[in-house]
Amino acid sequence: MSASPAPARHARPSGLRRFLSERPPRPERCELCAVAVAEADHRHLVDTEKRALVCACAACALLMEQPGAAAGRFRTVPARYLTDPGHRLDESAWEALQIPVGVAFLFRNAALDRLVALYPSPAGATESELEPATWTDVLGGSRLAELLEPDVEALLLRRTDGRCECHLVPIDICYELVGRMRLLWQGFDGGSEARAALDAFFVDVARRARPVDEAVRP
């Protein structure tokens, strides 16, 4: 009987050669306590001072939901998705908002005390001017607008084939959409890959959304 071959041993590159080898990916970490978090499934906070999203573990996300935590600097992004079957936007409403593309999201910036409308573009998130009176006329009286939490939630709008959708969503998925469109966008209209990704994104949003009557304050 012949002897089994010895397992291969992989020597670690030394000297400058170590910089030529591929480095293992760094795990995602909570940006408050540094514990490792699942890359594809973890919570986010909004840093209201830096106007930035921060990765968080479940414990830190729960902690920042408490009133007065961190003097209000960090706010946990809620996980709820809501839709209002009784409220429809028509073409005239969309025209009033003066959004130049078919997708946009709107949120209330608490520090500036105003509404902000953004839409995805090849250059990233682009701001669209929105008059407060227009917001009031088009969306201000809707139940989704009443439930909208400043800084951490958004109203996500889409117009396609003469139909307008409106969902209340966590604000981090809006920036996820912006990043995805920026990565996939090609040519003048975005291209087939970007359109397919957009369709899949809204299918997932519709699947997650619950009627506004089931809403619970985050």
Side-chain angles (χ1 to χ4, degrees):
M1 179 186 291
S2 60
S4 300
R9 302 183 64 181
H10 301 283
R12 295 182 60 186
S14 59
L16 294 177
R17 285 186 298 173
R18 70 181 186 275
F19 295 114
L20 301 177
S21 60
E22 187 175 347
R23 293 184 176 183
R26 291 184 176 180
E28 289 271 9
R29 294 192 177 279
C30 174
E31 295 181 56
L32 296 191
C33 70
V35 70
V37 296
E39 182 173 351
D41 184 20
H42 60 263
R43 304 290 300 274
H44 287 108
L45 314 173
V46 170
D47 183 337
T48 59
E49 289 185 6
K50 295 184 177 180
R51 308 303 310 168
L53 285 172
V54 173
C55 297
C57 66
C60 286
L62 185 62
L63 177 63
M64 294 304 153
E65 288 177 350
Q66 308 309 310
R73 174 177 172 179
F74 296 102
R75 297 196 62 204
T76 302
V77 177
R80 64 181 181 174
Y81 292 68
L82 297 175
T83 186
D84 184 358
H87 183 260
R88 297 293 181 197
L89 293 176
D90 57 20
E91 285 288 319
S92 62
W94 190 273
E95 294 300 329
L97 291 172
Q98 296 185 323
I99 298 171
V101 295
V103 176
F105 60 97
L106 299 84
F107 70 98
R108 180 174 293 282
N109 184 316
L112 300 177
D113 192 25
R114 72 178 178 91
L115 290 158
V116 177
L118 299 170
Y119 58 86
S121 77
T126 301
E127 184 167 351
S128 178
E129 295 292 333
L130 181 63
E131 293 293 334
T134 303
W135 157 267
T136 302
D137 291 343
V138 176
L139 290 162
S142 72
R143 296 185 65 191
L144 294 181
E146 292 174 0
L147 292 167
L148 186 66
E149 289 290 323
D151 298 319
V152 292
E153 291 183 322
L155 296 183
L156 179 62
L157 310 178
R158 187 188 192 194
R159 180 176 66 171
T160 179
D161 299 328
R163 189 170 65 93
C164 301
E165 302 174 53
C166 179
H167 295 94
L168 186 152
V169 299
I171 198 165
D172 51 355
I173 73 149
C174 297
Y175 288 104
E176 175 190 332
L177 176 63
V178 169
R180 201 177 298 180
M181 291 297 103
R182 187 176 185 183
L183 181 67
L184 299 176
W185 196 278
Q186 291 186 337
F188 179 75
D189 65 351
S192 59
E193 191 175 5
R195 290 196 295 274
L198 192 62
D199 289 342
F201 182 88
F202 273 89
V203 167
D204 187 56
V205 168
R207 179 183 64 81
R208 292 169 179 254
R210 296 291 175 264
V212 69
D213 292 337
E214 299 177 12
V216 176
R217 281 283 181 185

